[in-house]
Amino acid sequence: PACGDVVHIELTIEDNIIHHAYFTGVGCRISQAAASMLVEHVESRPLSDIKLFSAADMLTVFGPPLMPLRQRCCLLAWQALQQAIYSPVAVSSSNL
């Protein structure tokens, strides 16, 4: 966030399964690649499994080791996922 990178994650959850995951964002290659990898990783998985998905797990999914400042770029998508899971906003068809 200090660098200006932005990641927004949207999830479609039915019967406690993440059926679809989308992201929009702007920023460095690491933050955007991590967001892309993350939405692929969480799709079709139970919400209970994703609630156990930690920051360390996110760094493992990303792959190459990162310096601490670049780890923040990678974890931005994970933080957005946490907000989407723990502070969901329901969208009804009347809001579309």
Side-chain angles (χ1 to χ4, degrees):
C3 64
D5 288 11
V6 175
V7 172
H8 177 81
I9 292 188
E10 295 182 40
L11 306 171
T12 301
I13 301 170
E14 293 176 24
D15 300 323
N16 286 318
I17 303 290
I18 298 175
H19 288 281
H20 301 287
Y22 309 94
F23 90 95
T24 56
V26 293
C28 70
R29 291 178 183 160
I30 292 174
S31 71
Q32 301 307 291
S36 179
M37 296 165 101
L38 181 63
V39 295
E40 286 183 24
H41 182 78
V42 302
E43 273 193 342
S44 303
R45 292 191 178 216
L47 190 56
S48 58
D49 288 355
I50 300 308
K51 286 183 175 182
L52 299 174
F53 187 72
S54 69
D57 294 330
M58 180 65 214
L59 293 171
T60 299
V61 165
F62 186 76
L66 299 168
M67 300 298 292
L69 288 175
R70 301 309 279 170
Q71 286 179 6
R72 284 201 252 168
C73 300
C74 180
L75 294 176
L76 181 61
W78 177 80
Q79 292 170 332
L81 175 67
Q82 297 302 304
Q83 289 178 348
I85 289 171
Y86 291 106
S87 300
V89 175
V91 177
S92 68
S93 59
S94 64
N95 291 344
L96 299 176

